[in-house]
Amino acid sequence: MTTFGEYLDRLGGTSVLRVIHMTLNGIAAVAGMFLIIMGTASLLDMFETFSGASLPISSLVLGSLVVLISLVGIVSSVKRSQYMFGAYSGLLTLLVLVQLVILLTIWLRPYDIESRFGDVWERLYKNDPDTLRLIEKDLKCCGFQSPVDMAVPSNCATKKHYGFSSGCIKPLELQWHHRRSAALWAGFTMVGAQIVALVMGAELGRRYRDVRQGYQRVSGHAEGSPLLRASA
C-alpha cells in the first residue's frame, strides 16, 4: 500500500518546499546558537559594564527559543505532520512578535549615553580602577571626558605605555552604537527569515491537511491519533 509520505510527494508537490523550509530552520538554528555564544561572551566582556546585562541576557533567551522552535520546524518537515506544523506556527508567531517588540524598543528608545556611561565610569574609578586601566589601554584613551577626568593612573596622558591624549567617552559611544546597529540588523534579518519560514510552514500544513484527506479517501481508512502516530 502507498504510504502517506509517498502519496504526499506524488500529489502534493511539496518536496522542494520541505527542503527549503528545513534549510531555513537549519540556518535559524545556527543563528540561534550564535546568539547564545554572543550573549555568553558579552556577559564576560568588561565593556558590558557600560551597556548593561539586558542585551546579552536577551540574546541568551532568544537564542535558546530560536534553536528550540527551529528544531520543531525541522522535525515537522521530516515527519510531514500538519499537527506539528500547527504547533510550530503558533510558537514561531509568538517568537516573531516578541522579537519585534524587543527590536523596536532598542531602535526607538532614547538613550542618555554620556550620563549613563559617566555614572558607570565614576563607580569603576572609585571601586575598580584596574578595569578602567584595561579599558583605557584597549581603547587607547585616558580618563572619561579628557585625560584629566577620572583617569587611571592620574598621569595617564604622560605615563609610559599610556600617553593617550583623548578621553574615552567618544570611543565608548562609538563601540556602543556599533553593537546596537549590529544587533538591530541581525535581529530584523532573522525576523524576516522567520516570517518567510512561517508562511512556508503554514502552506505546508495546509497542503498536508488537504492531501491527507485525499489519501484517507483513496486508502479507505482513517488515520489514528496524530499525537500517537507519526506519519510515514
Side-chain angles (χ1 to χ4, degrees), residues 102-115:
I102 293 174
L103 289 170
L104 289 174
T105 300
I106 295 174
W107 185 23
L108 300 175
R109 179 183 174 186
Y111 290 92
D112 186 0
I113 300 300
E114 186 171 332
S115 175

Side-chain angles (χ1 to χ4, degrees), residues 32-47:
M33 287 185 275
F34 176 75
L35 280 175
I36 293 172
I37 294 171
M38 187 175 69
T40 303
S42 294
L43 283 174
L44 303 176
D45 187 352
M46 61 183 174
F47 294 110

